[in-house]
Amino acid sequence: MLKRSLLTLLIGGLGGGLASLAALPLAWMLGPLFLVLAASLAGAKAGIDPRLHRGAIAMLGLFIGNRIDLGELSHLLEWYPSVLAMLGYMGLMLLGGRWLFARSGMSRLSALFCAFPGSMNGAVILADRLGADVRWIAITHAIRLVMVVASAALLASHLAGGVVLGEGNGLHWGDLYLLALAPACAWLGRRLRLPIPEFLGPIAVGAAMASLGHGVVLPDLLLILTFLVLGSSVGARFSGTGWSRLLRVGRYGLAFGAYAVVMALGTAWGVASLTDLPFAAVLLALLPGGVGEMAVIAVALEIDPVYVVSHHVLRLLLLILLTPPLIALARRRRAAAQRRR
């Protein structure tokens, strides 16, 4: 796995460098994403060691946590309009996505998991246990993730007139403790049984440190390496996917990704029109991209990351709660169909 990870990061680094020269927004996340994706489709055996990926997520959580104002937590109850909108959006995603994927000829169970609004890893694991077609599900979720992250980053660049996350800080020997602090915070998150512990643990510690006046500033080099790992990880999800299968499955994934973005735009516009909540903040809270990626873009737009992260975590918890009854319903229907035969 070490050789594969190094090769993937080398390709991703080239993509990040090219994206930086082209002034692409979030260059060190989108550049690696697109170039590793292209290399994967060309036959390269791309992949990132899960431990390295979790470490990057932890570093990202620490970065975001130090930009969180704990005083904003008092506004949680004021966000109920967008929470209700998120529930409606989740329903639209599940119903519309299931209808779309059912047209492809896959089973109803596979169509349901393809339509999950986020939680790609959870959907793949559960689908595998139930005997659904995991390859369809992994490809469609990967396409959705790429489309949502790229759309959100381009939107951020348009609204903010450019996206700059670094603060011009060089890496010093004294900063190396951050390489141990981020994983330690992730370990604490697991001990506290937090959802997404490798992300929420560092966020909580970072926010607490900042509120106590002991916040940390991540050097730009660590930020670049973090985004390089995250972008390369998303692109590597297409490793082993043949062009024929991608073309056959991809059109439905593309349609679902477009549907997700359009529905999020419409829902966010409706919430922003009826409330004082800003359009961009509501959109990032709704879009079913990775919670880390959406939080990074929120920071770039100077949007409260607590607002965005809280919605994504709530959506994840709701999916966890909804999954058992959905599985039970699917099993009853499958059993009924087998009895009719």
Side-chain angles (χ1 to χ4, degrees), residues 269-310:
W269 176 82
V271 172
S273 299
L274 297 173
T275 69
D276 294 329
L277 294 170
F279 168 78
V282 179
L283 180 63
L284 290 177
L286 293 176
L287 282 171
V291 58
E293 288 83 352
M294 295 300 104
V296 165
I297 295 170
V299 171
L301 287 175
E302 297 185 351
I303 293 170
D304 178 18
V306 173
Y307 174 80
V308 175
V309 170
S310 62

Side-chain angles (χ1 to χ4, degrees), residues 223-280:
L223 280 177
I224 287 174
L225 292 175
T226 297
F227 297 142
L228 169 62
V229 172
L230 293 175
S232 299
S233 296
V234 175
R237 293 181 186 273
F238 287 85
S239 182
T241 302
W243 277 102
S244 60
R245 185 168 187 81
L246 181 66
L247 292 175
R248 186 157 54 92
V249 179
R251 52 181 175 170
Y252 297 101
L254 288 171
F256 182 60
Y259 174 73
V261 172
V262 170
M263 288 295 102
L265 286 168
T267 305
W269 176 82
V271 172
S273 299
L274 297 173
T275 69
D276 294 329
L277 294 170
F279 168 78

